[in-house]
Amino acid sequence: QVQLVESGGGLVQAGGSLRLSCAASGTIFRINDMGWYCQAPGKQRELVAAITSDGSTNYADSVKGRFTISRDNAKNTVYLQMNSLKPEDTAVYYCKAELTSIRRYDYALWGQGTQVTVSS
């Protein structure tokens, strides 16, 4: 069974840093795009950053210059380096992967979410 396991969330003061990790496990033919989303209480889930299989990246305007997404294809892992954190970054962060199964069908998979709390 394929799953995404996230780690790295926690409590940090404003201006601090956190690094989130998301590792895919199980039998997968290919991992295509990967991304990080956040969902604050009472709000919709929204894209934070995304990265294609060849390393092209895309960021929400609110995190440009502060967050960096990267991936290690050998480890089936995507990272989100979060610097200069602000209280408004507080949310549950979810990893998402676009996968191709060994039977060659495409589907999306979400991680369980990790809480990031930034205190002022």
Side-chain angles (χ1 to χ4, degrees), residues 2-105:
V2 179
Q3 59 180 341
L4 300 177
V5 179
E6 301 160 356
S7 61
L11 172 65
V12 65
Q13 290 187 332
S17 298
L18 285 174
R19 189 191 193 210
L20 306 183
S21 299
C22 172
S25 63
T27 304
I28 306 166
F29 176 70
R30 183 176 59 237
I31 301 176
N32 304 306
D33 295 353
M34 302 185 81
W36 289 95
Y37 291 71
C38 70
Q39 187 167 19
K43 296 187 176 181
Q44 290 188 333
R45 191 173 299 186
E46 59 185 20
L47 176 70
V48 176
I51 185 167
T52 65
S53 56
D54 63 0
S56 297
T57 58
N58 181 43
Y59 295 93
D61 288 342
S62 60
V63 306
K64 285 180 180 177
R66 300 189 298 122
F67 291 8
T68 302
I69 189 170
S70 61
R71 63 191 287 171
D72 184 335
N73 291 330
K75 296 181 179 180
N76 289 344
T77 299
V78 63
Y79 305 96
L80 186 67
Q81 179 66 44
M82 311 166 69
N83 298 329
S84 303
L85 282 160
K86 304 176 181 180
E88 51 263 43
D89 295 320
T90 296
V92 178
Y93 283 73
Y94 296 90
C95 171
K96 180 184 179 183
E98 303 286 346
L99 306 173
T100 301
S101 75
I102 58 174
R103 297 184 179 181
R104 305 301 192 269
Y105 65 84

